[in-house]
Amino acid sequence: MKDLQKLVGSLNKSGALNGFLGGVAGGGLTSLVTGKKGKKAGKKAAKYGALAAVGGLAWKAYQQYSEKNQAAQQQADKQDYNRAMNKQSNQSFDFRPNQYEQRTFEHVAESSDSGQLILMRAMIAAAYADGHIDEQERQRIFAQVETMELSVHEKAMLFDELRKPMTLSELVQSVPDSQTGIEVYAASASAIDLNQTISQQYLEALAAKLCLPNELVRNIHQELLN
């Protein structure tokens, strides 16, 4: 698993977090913020940390996707979308441009009882794509989980998943809506080495199950590589 704090810093520098959760979700982890407003923002940044970074990245990628496709929905795109919908057995995901607002992405990162939990589960499952999590990766996960406002039971559940992570199908079944799906993919991609073949295969399978448009996937990868 990647160093999540370094990820936050790099996303903050790239501008992926501008305007997201006050625009300081990343900077608060690596710098001291002064003033009353700054202290409040800094606490928010430390609280949500890498999960806020994931949300900001997902929102920016969706914005870019929307800007490129907002003029009109091409007939071919509609047909592809309908085919994707038919493949889904228990839930559907709709990624039409300009359908979601920034606030809905922020809510996932802020929601301790669902959003934060599923993003951490996604990171753990992705980190296991190569078959194991080493001690350093385990400690990074522990550190992130400890910052989250989860119950003792929820934290214990995440730690248990370090031994037996969710399967890809179980992860997708737990995704409640499209914007969470984008953040789940972003969290997964942020947790692993995009250059490894096994990681690429895992992400391709995840994108297919979430019905993510190829262009949106490319935008997420580009934000991670900036």
Side-chain angles (χ1 to χ4, degrees):
M1 176 176 278
K2 294 178 181 176
D3 187 321
L4 298 181
Q5 187 163 331
K6 287 182 180 178
L7 170 68
V8 173
S10 63
L11 289 174
N12 194 49
K13 287 180 182 177
S14 74
L17 302 179
N18 287 349
F20 196 84
L21 287 176
V24 295
L29 285 182
T30 53
S31 63
L32 294 175
V33 188
T34 57
K36 209 176 258 189
K37 184 177 179 182
K39 285 179 181 177
K40 184 178 180 182
K43 287 180 181 178
K44 201 173 192 181
K47 179 178 176 181
Y48 300 120
L51 301 186
V54 165
L57 183 153
W59 166 243
K60 186 173 182 181
Y62 180 72
Q63 273 187 304
Q64 293 169 342
Y65 168 73
S66 295
E67 288 168 4
K68 204 165 185 179
N69 294 276
Q70 64 186 347
Q73 287 284 311
Q74 297 296 327
Q75 188 62 34
D77 291 339
K78 289 182 180 179
Q79 290 173 350
D80 287 343
Y81 169 76
N82 290 332
R83 281 196 293 270
M85 291 295 99
N86 291 333
K87 289 180 181 178
Q88 286 292 331
S89 56
N90 296 318
Q91 78 251 69
S92 61
F93 299 102
D94 183 354
F95 299 104
R96 282 175 291 178
N98 296 316
Q99 182 155 281
Y100 305 109
E101 298 178 351
Q102 178 177 322
R103 183 71 193 107
T104 63
F105 284 79
E106 291 180 340
H107 177 71
V108 176
E110 291 175 327
S111 176
S112 61
D113 61 342
S114 57
Q116 292 182 22
L117 201 58
I118 194 172
L119 293 183
M120 283 305 302
R121 281 174 155 170
M123 287 181 172
I124 292 170
Y128 255 105
D130 63 359
H132 73 282
I133 292 182
D134 62 33
E135 186 57 31
Q136 191 175 32
E137 291 172 331
R138 197 181 304 273
Q139 290 306 317
R140 287 173 185 162
I141 294 171
F142 285 162
Q144 179 61 38
V145 171
E146 286 301 329
T147 68
M148 298 161 61
E149 290 189 341
L150 301 175
S151 68
V152 173
H153 172 71
E154 288 169 331
K155 288 183 179 181
M157 188 164 51
L158 283 179
F159 293 146
D160 285 342
E161 286 186 23
L162 285 170
R163 292 188 291 273
K164 188 181 179 182
M166 298 178 82
T167 65
L168 191 62
S169 294
E170 289 171 338
L171 176 63
V172 173
Q173 287 296 323
S174 70
V175 176
D177 49 49
S178 300
Q179 58 270 39
T180 302
I182 301 173
E183 294 191 47
V184 161
Y185 185 88
S188 302
S190 72
I192 53 182
D193 184 353
L194 298 178
N195 295 316
Q196 289 187 354
T197 301
I198 194 166
S199 297
Q200 293 169 0
Q201 292 171 341
Y202 179 85
L203 292 175
E204 285 172 7
L206 178 59
K209 285 184 175 291
L210 290 172
C211 300
L212 281 168
N214 290 335
E215 186 176 339
L216 182 51
V217 169
R218 285 194 294 271
N219 289 344
I220 291 171
H221 285 213
Q222 189 58 50
E223 287 303 318
L224 282 169
L225 295 172
N226 281 342

